[in-house]
Amino acid sequence: MTEYGVSEPTAAMATNLFITIASAMPEDQAQEEFQQAVTQMVAQGESWAQEFVQAMFSKRLPGFRATYQRAIAVGQDPAAQLVREHAMPAVAAADVVTLLKSETDVATSKPASEKGRQEAPAGRPYLADVTCPSGTVKVTVDATATVPSAKVRTDDKTGPSADAVRRSTVSLDGDRLTVRVPEIEGVDGVTQIINTGGSTRIYQSAGVVYGSVTGVTIDGNGNMTIGGVSGGVASSPIEVLVTLPIGSGVKVESRNAHLEVDGPLAALRMDTHNGHVRAGVVGRVKIDGHNGKYAFEAIQESVDIDSHNGHTTIGSYSGNDARVITHNGTLNLAATPQAAGQIVARTHNGSVTLRGVRGRQDLDVQTSTHNGSVHKI
């Protein structure tokens, strides 16, 4: 493994992994299994795997380039030739072709003084499929990223949250990054007692809370906030940190986890009970929730939100299909001149404020509220 120019710790990790895999299957299968294992470890943020892949790719790139150029010269499919000659997975071959094509484009379109410069290839879109019962899912869309990655963490070293982090899984299969965080195991029926920002919050799915609880406050959504707890199990929250290339999407399933997005997303899907969503620019949005605040800087294509106690704010809407339904909640939406089609906004107890819709013949606006007000501006 040292032939790739990697550090000794990285060479040792890669060698041990390959020997373990090779001892369990035929050699012709072991190589592909090894590549898949390393790819998954890259997605999990393992530094040794990232160093190994980068070094291996740099060493083998001249051979890839020669295969690519021969295939182009004779009119063959370069991706198929890479698979055939280098035993490369089809997905990886497509990525290499994208990289080598970008080299050709740079060389033929830029002045001679700039022909030596190589631009990083843009990553293809991925879907991050995350299951996280509680905590926060933080998604960053990175224009320089070519592959997705995810990390599950908590500040705790021991206890229920730390145990859940250790039992979490991250895997990359094709264009899907899958993250699974298990339920946090509680004590005496308590699912989790979370300490955040100086306050304590209990989430209970079944059973009885044993011990003493003081200063209890239950809000209108059924969430319990307490000032003091004894006899319970206190934990720090879990965070799922996801990085995606441009054009990617996110699907989150949670009970009490929040979703925060930094950067533009092609699509966002959220199934939650007590989860908030905060995002910037999103193409398509679909949320099924019970209690939560859903805030977007801009939605460009469509939005479909169903909730019981949901408050929705859309700073800029340019799509052609909007539907927001809630029982106790508010909706604030500002339609741009590019918006078209149907906008449906209904609430039983709450207000609806729609900006940029008055006098618009290109919009089919349908609103209703039982106890509240409707403003079309």
Side-chain angles (χ1 to χ4, degrees):
M1 296 294 180
T2 54
E3 65 182 272
Y4 295 121
V6 297
S7 62
E8 290 187 5
T10 292
M13 291 289 290
T15 301
N16 291 336
L17 176 62
F18 183 77
I19 291 173
T20 300
I21 293 174
S23 64
M25 61 184 63
E27 184 177 351
D28 58 338
Q29 299 177 17
Q31 183 64 37
E32 183 175 354
E33 184 68 23
F34 173 75
Q35 291 179 357
Q36 292 177 353
V38 172
T39 300
Q40 289 191 356
M41 290 180 182
V42 169
Q44 295 172 11
E46 295 283 350
S47 58
W48 77 265
Q50 294 171 344
E51 179 190 356
F52 180 78
V53 169
Q54 182 175 0
M56 182 175 63
F57 183 79
S58 296
K59 185 173 182 63
R60 300 181 66 185
L61 183 58
F64 296 158
R65 186 180 290 111
T67 299
Y68 172 86
Q69 291 172 346
R70 285 196 304 271
I72 294 296
V74 298
Q76 294 176 332
D77 180 0
Q81 290 301 109
L82 286 167
V83 171
R84 185 176 298 110
E85 295 184 21
H86 300 279
M88 183 181 296
V91 172
D95 288 341
V96 172
V97 169
T98 299
L99 170 64
L100 296 174
K101 184 178 184 301
S102 72
E103 287 185 349
T104 303
D105 292 343
V106 170
T108 57
S109 64
K110 291 194 172 183
S113 60
E114 298 184 9
K115 285 185 179 181
R117 302 179 187 176
Q118 178 178 322
E119 297 178 353
R124 72 175 190 273
Y126 289 81
L127 172 66
D129 183 353
V130 181
T131 299
C132 183
S134 62
T136 304
V137 178
K138 297 183 177 180
V139 177
T140 300
V141 181
D142 186 350
T144 65
T146 57
V147 294
S149 63
K151 179 180 180 181
V152 183
R153 66 167 303 278
T154 181
D155 289 338
D156 292 349
K157 303 301 181 184
T158 60
S161 290
D163 291 341
V165 168
R166 280 189 287 270
R167 290 185 290 117
S168 299
T169 60
V170 178
S171 62
L172 180 62
D173 184 9
D175 60 359
R176 181 181 293 261
L177 176 71
T178 303
V179 182
R180 295 290 180 262
V181 181
E183 290 278 358
I184 297 177
E185 295 180 353
V187 177
D188 298 326
V190 180
T191 301
Q192 193 180 21
I193 302 174
I194 296 292
N195 294 320
T196 56
S199 65
T200 306
R201 186 176 296 272
I202 287 183
Y203 297 109
Q204 182 184 6
S205 58
V208 179
V209 180
Y210 293 94
S212 63
V213 180
T214 60
V216 179
T217 302
I218 301 178
D219 65 22
N221 299 328
N223 298 318
M224 180 189 298
T225 304
I226 59 180
V229 178
S230 63
V233 178
S235 304
S236 296
I238 288 176
E239 289 184 331
V240 179
L241 309 178
V242 178
T243 300
L244 293 172
I246 289 288
S248 298
V250 171
K251 176 179 178 290
V252 176
E253 183 176 345
S254 81
R255 180 168 178 81
N256 303 307
H258 307 310
L259 173 60
E260 300 176 0
V261 181
D262 182 13
L265 275 180
L268 183 153
R269 177 77 167 92
M270 179 83 162
D271 288 296
T272 182
H273 189 79
N274 301 307
H276 304 314
V277 178
R278 179 187 60 78
V281 179
V282 184
R284 303 177 302 281
V285 173
K286 178 74 170 75
I287 297 175
D288 286 313
H290 191 79
N291 309 308
K293 296 179 180 178
Y294 318 121
F296 301 89
E297 292 180 10
I299 295 178
Q300 298 178 320
E301 297 179 36
S302 64
V303 55
D304 186 356
I305 298 177
D306 273 295
S307 68
H308 189 77
N309 304 306
H311 302 276
T312 301
T313 301
I314 302 171
S316 172
Y317 172 71
S318 304
N320 56 19
D321 188 9
R323 177 181 174 274
V324 181
I325 309 294
T326 184
H327 187 77
N328 304 308
T330 59
L331 168 63
N332 289 277
L333 179 150
T336 69
Q338 290 74 37
Q342 191 175 74
I343 297 178
V344 177
R346 296 195 175 101
T347 180
H348 189 78
N349 302 306
S351 63
V352 175
T353 302
L354 303 177
R355 294 176 173 81
V357 301
R358 179 179 294 177
R360 295 278 298 272
Q361 300 300 315
D362 55 333
L363 295 176
D364 177 12
V365 179
Q366 303 176 25
T367 61
S368 66
T369 182
H370 186 73
N371 298 309
S373 57
V374 175
H375 303 281
K376 299 177 183 178
I377 304 171

